[in-house]
Amino acid sequence: QVQLVESGGGLVQPGGSSRLSCAVSGTSRLYAMGWYRQAPGKQRELVATITIPGLTNYADSVRGRFTISRDNTKNTVSLQMNNLKPEDTAAYYCKVEATFGFWGRGTQVTVSS
């Protein structure tokens, strides 16, 4: 079955950078993918999406700072996060953008000095 395994995350200082990765396994086909995040007391929100050919979409709050990318040979999706701010602190989730809901377990990103 389809499985999403996230890696990366952790504690980062304001202004710093971090990179998250999501490995898709259990399937030979490709899907549009997305990164979402949920901060304490807030709803889960879209961060970025990427289509199979590589077209991207970003939340206004991260555009210009975050970059979503994919490697279709490895079937992985990454999120490069630059100039991190305390308000970026959240649990980040990888998701298959399809009618069926496949989510990663999530990884915590904490931006604090």
Side-chain angles (χ1 to χ4, degrees):
Q1 295 296 323
V2 176
Q3 292 183 329
L4 306 179
V5 180
E6 297 141 324
S7 60
L11 179 63
V12 188
Q13 293 187 341
S17 298
S18 186
R19 186 177 181 88
L20 307 179
S21 294
C22 175
V24 183
S25 63
T27 180
S28 61
R29 69 173 293 171
L30 302 175
Y31 299 92
M33 302 292 297
W35 282 99
Y36 294 74
R37 68 185 182 185
Q38 187 167 24
K42 293 187 176 182
Q43 290 186 311
R44 188 169 298 184
E45 64 177 356
L46 173 73
V47 175
T49 59
I50 185 167
T51 66
I52 295 172
L55 297 177
T56 59
N57 181 56
Y58 297 93
D60 290 342
S61 59
V62 307
R63 186 175 291 108
R65 298 188 299 119
F66 291 12
T67 302
I68 187 171
S69 62
R70 67 188 299 153
D71 184 336
N72 287 341
T73 300
K74 299 179 179 180
N75 205 355
T76 58
V77 182
S78 298
L79 184 69
Q80 178 66 45
M81 303 179 291
N82 297 327
N83 191 24
L84 284 161
K85 305 175 180 180
E87 50 263 45
D88 293 320
T89 296
Y92 285 72
Y93 300 86
C94 179
K95 179 183 181 292
V96 174
E97 292 292 348
T99 55
F100 57 92
F102 281 100
W103 294 82
R105 292 175 59 86
T107 184
Q108 180 68 34
V109 175
T110 301
V111 184
S112 177
S113 59

